[in-house]
Amino acid sequence: MNDKSNKEEYWLKPLNVTTLLPDETVSFSNFQVKWRAEEDYAGSVMGFVYCDEIPEGAAVINPISLNGTTLKTEG
């Protein structure tokens, strides 16, 4: 349900879940973030939850940080 013109923001909505009780979790098992690194990289994946009680959104407690170094070959 994301805006196709924005390649940096994705909106996910679970199917068949209308209520999430305190301490319950939802996971998106078929969602993957992939890219081809041509140089060293660093990035993060931030998540937010929106609901009737928090329409402005709240950040999740487990953001993901990624960084790495690419192997450079001479040739």
Side-chain angles (χ1 to χ4, degrees):
M1 60 185 266
N2 59 295
D3 178 0
K4 302 279 189 229
S5 65
N6 185 340
K7 299 294 185 191
E8 294 184 9
E9 183 174 301
Y10 294 89
W11 288 67
L12 305 175
K13 181 179 179 182
L15 299 175
N16 304 319
V17 176
T18 57
T19 303
L20 189 63
L21 298 174
D23 296 321
E24 282 188 313
T25 61
V26 171
S27 62
F28 298 91
S29 59
N30 292 323
F31 179 75
Q32 297 179 357
V33 177
K34 298 195 294 185
W35 73 91
R36 185 177 307 254
E38 296 180 7
E39 11 182 280
D40 297 351
Y41 59 90
S44 62
V45 178
M46 295 293 300
F48 294 86
V49 63
Y50 297 88
C51 60
D52 293 339
E53 292 82 4
I54 312 170
E56 70 280 1
V60 298
I61 59 173
N62 57 344
I64 301 168
S65 295
L66 308 161
N67 62 61
T69 304
T70 59
L71 296 175
K72 307 224 186 304
T73 58
E74 293 185 36

